[in-house]
Amino acid sequence: MKSTFDVCNPATGQVIERVIDGTVEDAVWAVDAAAAAFPGWAATPARARSDILRRCHELMLRDADVLAALISTENGKSIVDARAEVVYAAEFYRWFSEEAVRGEGSYSEAPAGGVKTLVTHVPVGVAALITPWNFPAAMAARKVAPALAAGCTVVLKPAEETPLTALALGRIMLEAGVPPGAVNIVPTTSAPAVVSAWLAHDRVRKISFTGSTGVGRALLRQAADRIVNASMELGGNAPFVITADADVDAAVAGAMIAKFRGSGQACTAANRFYVHADVVDEFLEKFGNAVMALRVGPSSDPESQVGPVISSRALARITALVEAAIADGARIAFQGKIPNSGLFYPPTLLVNVPFGAQILSEEIFGPVAPIVTWTDESAMLASANNTEFGLAGYVYAGRLQDALRIGEQIAVGMVGINRGIVSDPAAPFGGVKQSGIGREGAHEGIREYQETRVYSVDWA
Ligand code: NAD
């Protein structure tokens, strides 16, 4: 008899489902299955792999309502956010169905003559994929689709809070024609043991991890033992800069998305708002009004815009961060309302946040917006860059030149210019500094699952 674990709705605490708790033995078995399926999948013509991925996209959209309901039940996000995630996730299958058939290489003559050089790209092998709970469909799709497009087979460990969406994607992939063994999903409460077993397995040639910087760092150390190719999508601490001549209404609309999507639990979430002194009063009033109008509640309420946070630990952490900010001199300017029960934190705007406050250096991962007023651009940029993270940033400015000048000086992988969202399957997603290594999506995404191979041909 296999042991199981409970998956709960964070809005109500109710158990939704019990899932088999994967063991190290299961983990090894999954790699063996992926390794057995690898030669066949890698040899499948790219057009056939592409057609299957395209079918995954279509089936996800066919099942969008069911998938959105599942995501919002196990993750807690509003049904609107969950639907948007399904469309975003499905797009990775479509995008990589298109990339699958755009294999590239080169044929050239060595400078000394007498030798021709052929360069091609081959699938790296079995890939181990580890995903977080905050985008249960999108983070899985963003890894699985390029891996399959490249000809790799995979083992996937979803977060234990949200395994049901990954399992639903697994069923969709089987229906679409992904052969058995090509995708192996192992939900587990023993993440360290399962992932260590994968990194120790001689058939695993790739790890792609999305999650916190601390865990990523530990996995990189383990990957070093067998020199496993590693891609890391880690934490963020995005600054959101508003200049004196920015369109304040547009900045408020962007701030609402960048801050409150998924209750602020996105790696790209705006973590710190740097608002120029000339517009701070207007911005605060309009942002405050928008925050007070937000409807916070469980996803079973179709009108709800902001759901709960993922766990009581997360709730306690956010509460402590806000208390520390107040101790640092900040003040709550606006705070929304929440239901009487459930893991909800009220949408909160903090003002008078000093440049050195702890809340500016940590990933809040909750619906709290600290607002810093600036006048001196270089001091603002120094504060914006005073973090180990470098994932995303946002700039709202009246002139594109100013937005780009400021954007160029923020040390991040992605900058939103006059928009509150940077994610796009067709754009390379990833960070600098301790926010990660590698890129997902776009043309770069498939290359993360390929090795470059050279044939050096005697032409004398
Ligand atoms: P987490 O690091 O705790 O967990 C992520 C995944 O790693 C989960 O599947 C978890 O079970 C697994 N895990 C945890 N400890 C492990 C260990 N010791 N060994 C192996 N696996 C382990 O992160 P989280 O709390 O689930 O997610 C939030 C974090 O993810 C935030 O820091 C957020 O910024 C980051 N994130 C980054 C991106 C990105 O693309 N850069 C996207 C989404 C989330």
Side-chain angles (χ1 to χ4, degrees), residues 131 133-134 142 157 209-212 233-235 267 363 429:
T131 52
W133 48 264
N134 61 346
R142 202 163 74 177
K157 194 208 80 59
F209 170 78
T210 296
S212 57
E233 294 287 352
L234 307 176
C267 51
E363 197 177 18
F429 186 106

Side-chain angles (χ1 to χ4, degrees), residues 322-390:
V322 171
E323 280 167 6
I326 291 169
D328 285 335
R331 175 173 66 78
I332 294 178
F334 290 91
Q335 191 158 53
K337 294 222 169 355
I338 53 172
N340 293 332
S341 64
L343 301 172
F344 295 95
Y345 194 88
T348 302
L349 301 193
L350 291 172
V351 290
N352 298 349
V353 183
F355 269 15
Q358 181 197 1
I359 199 162
L360 301 183
S361 62
E362 283 189 28
E363 197 177 18
I364 302 169
F365 238 56
V368 178
I371 296 171
V372 182
T373 306
W374 66 276
T375 47
D376 179 67
E377 188 176 300
S378 54
M380 178 274 290
L381 284 167
S383 173
N385 285 326
N386 185 21
T387 165
E388 69 184 19
F389 298 113

Side-chain angles (χ1 to χ4, degrees), residues 34 113-114 131 144 181 210-211 282 295 305 357 363 379 406 439:
T131 52
V144 176
T210 296
E282 183 189 350
R295 186 169 170 119
Q305 295 164 291
E363 197 177 18
I406 292 171
R439 293 294 180 268

Side-chain angles (χ1 to χ4, degrees), residues 4 9 15 18 91 106 116 194 212 257 348 368 411 448:
T4 59
N9 180 335
V15 176
R18 283 162 61 205
E91 191 59 28
S106 66
K116 299 278 187 189
V194 161
S212 57
I257 297 170
T348 302
V368 178
E448 302 276 325

Side-chain angles (χ1 to χ4, degrees), residues 130-135 139 142-143 157-161 188 190-196 209-216 218-219 222 232-236 265-268 310 363 365 389 391 414 429-431 435-436 440:
I130 295 102
T131 52
W133 48 264
N134 61 346
F135 289 90
M139 297 302 98
R142 202 163 74 177
K143 296 185 190 306
K157 194 208 80 59
E160 70 180 85
E161 295 86 347
T188 181
S190 311
V194 161
V195 178
S196 294
F209 170 78
T210 296
S212 57
T213 294
V215 174
L219 296 181
Q222 289 180 49
M232 295 279 147
E233 294 287 352
L234 307 176
Q265 303 172 111
C267 51
T268 51
I310 191 72
E363 197 177 18
F365 238 56
F389 298 113
L391 189 62
M414 299 170 285
F429 186 106
S435 284
E440 290 192 316

Side-chain angles (χ1 to χ4, degrees), residues 90-356:
E91 191 59 28
F92 285 104
Y93 285 101
R94 177 157 66 174
W95 175 265
F96 285 109
S97 76
E98 292 159 350
E99 286 297 299
V101 289
R102 305 274 179 264
E104 52 181 35
S106 66
Y107 176 76
S108 62
E109 187 164 331
V115 172
K116 299 278 187 189
T117 306
L118 279 72
V119 179
T120 184
H121 304 287
V122 296
V124 59
V126 175
L129 315 177
I130 295 102
T131 52
W133 48 264
N134 61 346
F135 289 90
M139 297 302 98
R142 202 163 74 177
K143 296 185 190 306
V144 176
L148 293 177
C152 295
T153 55
V154 309
V155 289
L156 166 66
K157 194 208 80 59
E160 70 180 85
E161 295 86 347
T162 57
L164 303 177
T165 305
L167 293 170
L169 285 191
R171 283 190 287 275
I172 281 179
M173 286 189 270
L174 271 180
E175 186 185 342
V178 173
V183 175
N184 307 275
I185 303 172
V186 184
T188 181
T189 57
S190 311
V194 161
V195 178
S196 294
W198 284 350
L199 283 168
H201 197 299
D202 64 357
R203 291 305 304 269
V204 171
R205 292 307 321 147
K206 170 85 198 181
I207 177 167
S208 179
F209 170 78
T210 296
S212 57
T213 294
V215 174
R217 195 178 285 125
L219 296 181
L220 275 173
R221 287 201 189 99
Q222 289 180 49
D225 285 344
R226 290 182 43 258
I227 318 290
V228 173
N229 179 321
S231 300
M232 295 279 147
E233 294 287 352
L234 307 176
N237 180 3
F240 190 110
V241 178
I242 301 173
T243 65
D245 66 349
D247 176 337
V248 172
D249 291 318
V252 169
M256 294 303 289
I257 297 170
K259 182 70 253 183
F260 295 107
R261 197 167 54 110
S263 307
Q265 303 172 111
C267 51
T268 51
N271 213 52
R272 304 163 287 160
F273 290 82
Y274 291 95
V275 188
H276 193 277
D278 288 359
V279 287
V280 73
D281 290 343
E282 183 189 350
F283 176 75
L284 186 61
E285 191 197 331
K286 290 179 171 170
F287 196 21
N289 289 340
V291 163
M292 297 311 282
L294 275 177
R295 186 169 170 119
V296 182
S299 59
S300 52
D301 170 4
E303 306 280 297
S304 160
Q305 295 164 291
V306 177
V309 296
I310 191 72
S311 64
S312 49
R313 236 179 83 212
L315 193 61
R317 201 182 43 73
I318 298 163
T319 308
L321 262 181
V322 171
E323 280 167 6
I326 291 169
D328 285 335
R331 175 173 66 78
I332 294 178
F334 290 91
Q335 191 158 53
K337 294 222 169 355
I338 53 172
N340 293 332
S341 64
L343 301 172
F344 295 95
Y345 194 88
T348 302
L349 301 193
L350 291 172
V351 290
N352 298 349
V353 183
F355 269 15

